Amino acid sequence: VLKDILQLRTSLILDEANQDTLFIPSLLKGCRSWIGIPLMSREYSIGILSIESCQENAFRAVSLPLLQAFAGQIAISIERERLAEQAQFRVEMLSQRVSEKTRDLWYLFQVTAIANAYTNQAILVEEVLDQIQKAVQAEASFLFLYGYEANAAQPQISLQSSLGLSTEVMEKLCAAHSTLYQLLKDSKLPIQIDENKIREKFPFLHPTYYQCYFIALRSSQKLLGMIGLLTRSGRVLPINTLSLAGVMAENVSIALEREELRKQAEQAAVIEERQRISRDLHDAVSQSLSSACMIASATRKYLDKENWEALRQSVTDFQKAAYQSLREMRLLLYELRPLSDAPFDAVKSLKKRLDLVERRAGLQVEVELEQFEQLPMVVQQTIFTLSLIHISEPTRLLSISYA
């Protein structure tokens, strides 16, 4: 009966219980009259309004439209309560997701900040690993960084760190790094190792850990290292959690690659500077020394021929060449001196240059400055630079005016 009312969406009145075959005495004990009205919400039934009476023909005088209207109000109230519950559930779910995303973004920000500010690789590895393990809620984690050697078949571990793992387990993981390297060598996505594969490939992790996740630290050209995340329960990390760990690993990879490029740039700068010094030595000092050697050879000939006038001139020329070589050597050493961390002082810098180079070469140089400290720093630096050019080429006239 109830099924028919719900499907047909029509009301049913039973006034003579003893004569109506639809009555089920076992369900409606003591009931002589019954009415069932469907509760309609929009175009479907959500329930039945059931009214019973112990008297026969109790509902003949009752207005059915009135009862249906009453049932309609009940259906509206029920539907409104359902919608309110659904809305509350969705609000709670949305609030939970926002909280999870906020938490994920906070950990991502922490990892990014550590990666951008790091200067020590060992500190970077420890701090980043701690943040990633907390973000994915893993019970243990480890991180390997690889070092590449020429003609080596595969890289070796240059730095390692772990959280929640014993020394014995870490030693076995290091011994198995070749297997881990082969797993991640060509993979751009995190690799999941379930319980069966752990038993097969890494039996020393079972039964303590049931799920393992390996994430590559990769540059544009090679595998820089890897991060391992381990869980003790059979809980599988959600895709969004693995994606978060992958983004964190990318930030770490960028920081490591940037540091590697910086070191390469430093090495290139050192090589370039050595080449520049070599050229300067060849162009300046070597040329002056070659001239001095030629003058010395001529002096020896003048001495053998007892040509005293030419000998005197040759000795004078040799002395000039020696002084010139000494001056150029001191000038080169002055340019190669380490820079001071103290604020720039044009007066002190100019006097120091004259003491170290020109005065030691026998040149008489005087410096007279009036109200120089009152000039802007940019003007002081410009005058300092022009003064060095004039000292190097004293035949040029130097005139500076500033208004």
Side-chain angles (χ1 to χ4, degrees):
V1 175
L2 300 179
K3 184 177 180 182
D4 291 339
I5 293 175
L6 291 174
Q7 290 180 348
L8 298 175
R9 290 177 289 179
T10 184
S11 302
L12 177 63
I13 299 176
L14 301 177
D15 283 333
E16 298 179 359
N18 295 332
Q19 300 177 6
D20 202 317
T21 57
L22 295 177
F23 258 93
I24 304 177
S26 60
L27 296 178
L28 298 173
K29 295 181 180 180
C31 177
R32 307 298 298 275
S33 299
W34 181 84
I35 184 171
I37 303 173
L39 301 177
M40 303 296 298
S41 175
R42 299 178 185 176
E43 297 181 355
Y44 57 93
S45 303
I46 62 173
I48 296 177
L49 174 61
S50 176
I51 304 175
E52 303 173 8
S53 176
C54 61
Q55 298 179 359
E56 291 186 357
N57 303 319
F59 301 116
R60 285 188 176 182
V62 175
S63 175
L64 185 59
L66 180 61
L67 289 177
Q68 290 176 337
F70 180 68
Q73 293 300 317
I74 295 176
I76 292 174
S77 299
I78 294 175
E79 185 67 14
R80 185 185 297 116
E81 186 65 24
R82 283 186 177 180
L83 292 176
E85 291 178 357
Q86 291 177 0
Q88 181 64 26
F89 176 76
R90 290 177 180 176
V91 168
E92 292 176 356
M93 290 297 297
L94 181 60
S95 177
Q96 182 179 355
R97 290 182 182 179
V98 170
S99 177
E100 292 174 354
K101 291 298 180 183
T102 302
R103 173 183 172 276
D104 292 346
L105 289 175
W106 186 85
Y107 279 113
L108 180 58
F109 172 79
Q110 290 293 106
V111 170
T112 304
I114 294 171
N116 289 336
Y118 101 96
T119 55
N120 185 290
Q121 201 172 71
I123 296 176
L124 167 72
V125 167
E126 292 179 0
E127 294 183 352
V128 163
L129 189 61
D130 178 59
Q131 295 297 325
I132 294 178
Q133 179 173 330
K134 290 178 180 178
V136 302
Q137 299 179 354
E139 282 76 23
S141 61
F142 66 91
L143 191 151
F144 290 157
L145 291 184
Y146 292 133
Y148 288 81
E149 298 180 0
N151 301 324
Q154 63 181 24
Q156 299 298 317
I157 297 175
S158 62
L159 184 63
Q160 57 174 306
S161 181
S162 66
L163 292 173
L165 292 175
S166 65
T167 304
E168 181 182 358
V169 171
M170 274 303 295
E171 290 177 353
K172 292 181 178 180
L173 281 172
C174 292
H177 89 90
S178 298
T179 303
L180 297 173
Y181 175 79
Q182 294 298 327
L183 284 174
L184 290 171
K185 181 175 63 174
D186 300 321
S187 175
K188 296 183 179 180
L189 298 175
I191 294 179
Q192 176 186 358
I193 304 295
D194 58 20
E195 184 178 359
N196 294 330
K197 292 183 179 179
I198 291 176
R199 289 177 178 176
E200 177 185 352
K201 296 185 177 181
F202 310 103
F204 54 88
L205 294 176
H206 192 271
T208 306
Y209 302 101
Y210 290 88
Q211 296 286 335
C212 295
Y213 301 88
F214 303 119
I215 305 172
L217 299 175
R218 190 183 304 278
S219 70
S220 56
Q221 299 178 348
K222 60 185 178 182
L223 186 64
L224 301 175
M226 62 163 298
I227 296 174
L229 303 170
L230 297 85
T231 60
R232 287 194 175 94
S233 63
R235 177 177 63 94
V236 178
L237 295 181
I239 295 178
N240 58 340
T241 301
L242 285 178
S243 299
L244 173 65
V247 173
M248 292 179 175
E250 288 180 6
N251 289 341
V252 177
S253 300
I254 292 173
L256 293 172
E257 185 176 16
R258 184 175 62 244
E259 179 65 15
E260 186 174 345
L261 293 175
R262 186 189 65 80
K263 290 180 179 180
Q264 292 177 0
E266 286 182 353
Q267 293 176 355
V270 170
I271 294 174
E272 184 178 356
E273 183 65 13
R274 288 178 178 176
Q275 293 175 346
R276 188 189 70 82
I277 294 173
S278 176
R279 290 194 302 268
D280 290 347
L281 286 172
H282 180 272
D283 295 342
V285 180
S286 297
Q287 184 176 358
S288 299
L289 291 177
S290 297
S291 299
C293 291
M294 293 177 63
I295 295 173
S297 178
T299 302
R300 179 63 179 269
K301 293 180 181 179
Y302 295 146
L303 181 62
D304 293 339
K305 295 180 180 180
E306 297 184 357
N307 188 344
W308 309 116
E309 186 65 25
L311 179 62
R312 186 180 297 107
Q313 183 62 38
S314 180
V315 171
T316 301
D317 293 340
F318 182 82
Q319 185 180 21
K320 291 180 179 180
Y323 274 125
Q324 179 66 19
S325 298
L326 181 61
R327 179 178 180 277
E328 291 176 351
M329 177 61 74
R330 285 173 174 167
L331 179 59
L332 182 60
L333 294 176
Y334 173 80
E335 292 178 352
L336 295 176
R337 80 192 191 286
L339 297 177
S340 174
D341 294 333
F344 177 75
D345 190 323
V347 177
K348 291 183 179 179
S349 298
L350 183 59
K351 290 182 178 179
K352 185 176 181 180
R353 157 65 188 266
L354 296 175
D355 291 339
L356 292 176
V357 181
E358 278 72 23
R359 291 194 177 102
R360 286 191 177 185
L363 297 178
Q364 298 297 324
V365 183
E366 298 296 334
V367 180
E368 294 183 4
L369 299 171
E370 294 182 2
Q371 300 180 345
F372 186 77
E373 293 80 0
Q374 300 178 5
L375 296 175
M377 183 57 63
V378 175
V379 178
Q380 293 186 29
Q381 292 176 345
T382 303
I383 294 177
F384 174 75
T385 303
L386 294 175
S387 299
L388 294 184
I389 295 175
H390 182 69
I391 292 172
S392 301
E393 301 181 25
T395 58
R396 299 174 60 179
L397 178 61
L398 177 64
S399 176
I400 303 175
S401 60
Y402 175 75

